Amino acid sequence: MTGEHDSTLRRFEQSLADLGPGEYVLTLFVTGASDMSVRAIGNVRALCEMHLQGRYQLEVVDIHRDAVSMLSHNVLAAPTLIKESPLPKRRLVGDLSDTSRVLAALDIRVAEPAPDTGSSG
């Protein structure tokens, strides 16, 4: 039984390694071209380009045009951003202007700036 367990564990670990650094799959639900929707789209795109460049997929869904998608994702308000992957799945509501809150909720780690070790004068 131990051999079977070890084999399963090795396959699982290999599957995790094959996933690589992880691509973020995000869906943003908005209500047409309202001011809040435009802000949310701009905020999410800027955040993704700054912190996830080349590692994300972003789909923007207008709930007036795609009510089925809204219902299937259990979206009750817009704008709503859903992080599908990497797990855990997360859901944020609002214009997403609080960058530090959004980064924390999406589990995006931002490199801390190196302390200034130079002397002045």
Side-chain angles (χ1 to χ4, degrees), residues 41-56:
I41 293 167
N43 289 337
V44 169
R45 284 189 174 150
L47 183 139
C48 288
E49 282 302 309
M50 182 174 288
H51 300 285
L52 299 174
Q53 191 171 38
R55 297 187 307 126
Y56 74 95

Side-chain angles (χ1 to χ4, degrees), residues 16-90:
L16 286 177
D18 291 345
L19 291 175
E23 180 174 73
Y24 281 72
V25 178
L26 307 168
T27 305
L28 177 62
F29 291 87
V30 297
T31 54
S34 70
D35 289 341
M36 187 175 277
S37 294
V38 170
R39 270 195 310 275
I41 293 167
N43 289 337
V44 169
R45 284 189 174 150
L47 183 139
C48 288
E49 282 302 309
M50 182 174 288
H51 300 285
L52 299 174
Q53 191 171 38
R55 297 187 307 126
Y56 74 95
Q57 294 176 24
L58 174 63
E59 179 183 7
V60 178
V61 177
D62 182 346
I63 63 173
H64 294 302
R65 294 180 184 223
D66 191 353
V68 172
S69 185
M70 178 187 89
L71 294 172
S72 69
H73 284 86
N74 297 317
V75 172
L76 301 176
T80 294
L81 178 67
I82 298 176
K83 178 184 85 161
E84 302 286 346
S85 79
L87 295 174
K89 190 172 182 177
R90 296 285 168 89

Side-chain angles (χ1 to χ4, degrees), residues 71-119:
L71 294 172
S72 69
H73 284 86
N74 297 317
V75 172
L76 301 176
T80 294
L81 178 67
I82 298 176
K83 178 184 85 161
E84 302 286 346
S85 79
L87 295 174
K89 190 172 182 177
R90 296 285 168 89
R91 181 179 304 258
L92 301 162
V93 178
D95 69 5
L96 308 166
S97 59
D98 186 344
T99 303
S100 60
R101 178 181 158 259
V102 174
L103 290 172
L106 297 178
D107 295 322
I108 298 172
R109 308 281 185 258
V110 179
E112 294 290 324
D116 184 14
T117 57
S119 58

